[in-house]
Every structure is written in structure tokens, then in C-alpha cells.
């Protein structure tokens, strides 16, 4: 979300197949990077250059809108459209445990959009290691959001891309920079 206009409007990139679902009077939650939430209500909405511009109740200046910059807008669960079997909301994936076959990889801490065709699951393992795993249909075996479980069949070597450098690799990097 970013500022748009002088009366506190914000421009948002809708991640929905139904962008006309946003209407005046609708209640939304703005979720900040730190996880804090702010409840908002739409006063007006209109399309602009592939984005939606929202005028929100109580957000009446550029400085008010700046407080919302970078937040993710979410609609209440009860207003979500019913999904077809096999589909899930991206926001429901955080907290799910990811498995590659029988091997537990870690827990989804975040989902990043816009990195390519498929969203990236940021999966933290029991150590410090974090993996970036494409949430691609080709890798999915089963998703059970209620059980907080994602079963995948990952291509060989995918997790190695995120592996920390060995001492030999670090030494080789230092030599190549010298």
C-alpha cells in the first residue's frame, strides 16, 4: 500500500481474482510488517492505472496515509470467497509446517509475492537456516491448512540453493575478490 493523492487516499495492488469486491462501507484490516493490525473502513474506491485507490474513513491527510505505507490489507475471514477444493489463501500458509516427502523442512514464516510466477514460501528450519521455496503447483502434493501442513515433492538440489556457504566456498569467494 502506498499514498495516493492529498486527502489521505492509498493505492493498493489487489491480490484477488475479484477486484470489484472492494466497496464503500467495507471493513478491512491493515497488517504491518511487525504483525500489528489496524481496523479500517472503505469510504470510497476507484480503479487507477491497474491499482485500486481507497479513501479510508479517518485517513484524511498524506501523513495519515503514510502510517499505512507498506501494510497489507486483508478482508475479514467471513467475507472471503469460498475457494474450490485444492485452493488456499496465501495468508493462511504462514505457520504451516512444510514437508519434502517424509522430511520436515520447517515452518512458513512469510510468503513473498512478485518474485516470479509462484509466491515464495519463506520456511524457517529448527536452526537459523531459512529456505525460499516456490509455492508452485508442480511441487505440491497436499495442503491441509486446518492441520497446518504442506506436503511437497521438491526437485533435488532446491534446498541446497539456500544452504550456507562452506568454509572452502567462503575462502574461494575471498580469493576471487582479491
Amino acid at each position: 500500500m502506498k499514498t495516493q493523492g492529498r486527502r489521505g487516499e492509498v493505492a493498493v495492488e489487489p491480490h484477488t481474482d475479484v477486484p470489484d469486491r472492494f466497496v464503500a462501507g467495507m471493513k478491512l484490516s491493515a497488517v504491518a510488517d511487525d504483525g500489528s493490525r489496524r481496523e479500517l473502513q472503505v469510504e470510497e474506491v476507484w480503479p487507477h492505472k491497474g491499482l485500486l485507490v481507497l479513501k479510508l474513513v479517518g485517513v484524511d491527510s498524506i501523513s495519515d496515509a503514510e502510517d499505512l505505507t507498506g501494510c497489507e490489507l486483508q478482508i475479514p475471514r467471513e467475507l472471503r470467497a469460498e475457494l474450490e477444493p485444492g485452493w488456499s489463501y496465501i495468508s493462511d500458509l504462514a505457520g504451516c509446517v512444510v514437508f519434502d516427502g517424509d522430511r520436515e523442512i520447517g515452518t512458513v514464516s512469510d510468503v513473498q509475492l512478485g518474485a516470479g510466477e509462484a509466491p515464495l514460501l519463506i520456511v524457517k528450519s529448527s536452526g537459523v537456516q531459512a529456505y525460499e521455496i516456490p509455492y508452485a503447483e508442480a511441487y505440491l502434493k497436499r495442503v491441509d491448512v486446518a492441520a497446518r501442513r504442506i506436503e511437497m515433492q521438491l526437485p533435488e538440489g532446491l534446498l541446497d540453493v539456500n544452504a550456507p556457504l562452506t568454509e572452502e566456498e567462503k575462502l574461494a569467494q575471498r580469493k576471487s575478490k582479491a
Side-chain angles (χ1 to χ4, degrees):
M1 184 169 12
K2 63 180 185 172
T3 61
Q4 173 76 34
R6 297 176 295 164
R7 297 184 313 127
E9 299 93 343
V10 293
V12 298
E13 179 183 352
H15 293 282
T16 177
D17 292 336
V18 192
D20 59 344
R21 75 177 332 149
F22 297 95
V23 295
M26 179 180 208
K27 297 200 185 295
L28 301 169
S29 294
V31 182
D33 287 339
D34 66 4
S36 63
R37 292 175 129 5
R38 178 175 170 189
E39 302 307 314
L40 300 166
Q41 184 174 355
V42 177
E43 188 175 315
E44 294 179 65
V45 60
W46 61 93
H48 179 69
K49 297 183 180 179
L51 302 174
L52 289 179
V53 177
L54 304 177
K55 172 63 180 94
L56 302 164
V57 174
V59 180
D60 299 316
S61 67
I62 292 174
S63 61
D64 290 344
E66 284 174 344
D67 291 341
L68 299 170
T69 300
C71 287
E72 175 183 306
L73 282 181
Q74 296 178 352
I75 62 171
R77 287 188 186 277
E78 62 272 10
L79 295 180
R80 286 181 173 179
E82 189 68 31
L83 296 177
E84 294 178 30
W87 290 83
S88 54
Y89 283 99
I90 296 293
S91 59
D92 289 342
L93 300 177
C96 288
V97 178
V98 177
F99 292 84
D100 180 20
D102 292 333
R103 177 181 168 211
E104 182 177 321
I105 304 301
T107 303
V108 178
S109 64
D110 193 13
V111 181
Q112 293 180 354
L113 301 171
E117 283 291 317
L120 279 179
L121 300 178
I122 308 303
V123 179
K124 300 247 174 141
S125 69
S126 57
V128 180
Q129 182 72 24
Y131 297 102
E132 294 178 354
I133 301 174
Y135 187 67
E137 189 174 351
Y139 305 153
L140 289 174
K141 287 175 54 183
R142 189 170 155 250
V143 178
D144 187 343
V145 173
R148 312 302 294 151
R149 183 179 179 96
I150 300 171
E151 296 175 14
M152 304 183 90
Q153 188 65 52
L154 300 174
E156 187 147 341
L158 180 76
L159 297 178
D160 296 334
V161 171
N162 293 296
L165 296 177
T166 65
E167 289 303 318
E168 291 173 354
E169 291 168 327
K170 289 177 185 176
L171 182 59
Q173 273 189 348
R174 284 191 288 258
K175 285 182 179 178
S176 70
K177 290 180 183 176

